[in-house]
Amino acid sequence: MTAQPRFRRVTRFGPVQVGTYYDGRGREKHTAACTAPRCGFSADYDSRAAAELAARTHRCPVR
C-alpha cells in the first residue's frame, strides 16, 4: 500500500485545485483536480505550468 502524497503549494483556479507533491521515486509531480460535485476531473503533470493551464481551461461537464 502506498502512502498518501503530501501536497504543498496548493492553489485554486475556480473549482480546480493545483498541488505539488513528490511521487514514490522522489520526482516532483503536479496535480490538477476539480472539486465540483460529480465532476471527477483530475490529472497528473510533470510541470507546474501544464497543471495550471489545465486548471484554467477546465470546464465541468456537469452543471
Side-chain angles (χ1 to χ4, degrees):
M1 179 160 42
T2 61
Q4 294 290 337
R6 177 167 287 183
F7 290 99
R8 57 190 177 85
R9 286 190 58 200
V10 177
T11 56
R12 189 174 193 89
F13 297 94
V16 182
Q17 287 185 335
V18 176
T20 302
Y21 70 97
Y22 289 106
D23 67 357
R25 296 178 180 240
R27 296 176 298 206
E28 190 175 62
K29 295 287 189 172
H30 310 276
T31 298
C34 186
T35 59
R38 299 187 324 265
C39 179
F41 168 76
S42 68
D44 290 335
Y45 298 94
D46 290 331
S47 72
R48 178 86 182 185
E52 288 182 5
L53 178 65
R56 287 186 184 110
T57 59
H58 171 69
R59 299 290 175 252
C60 294
V62 180
R63 292 272 172 171

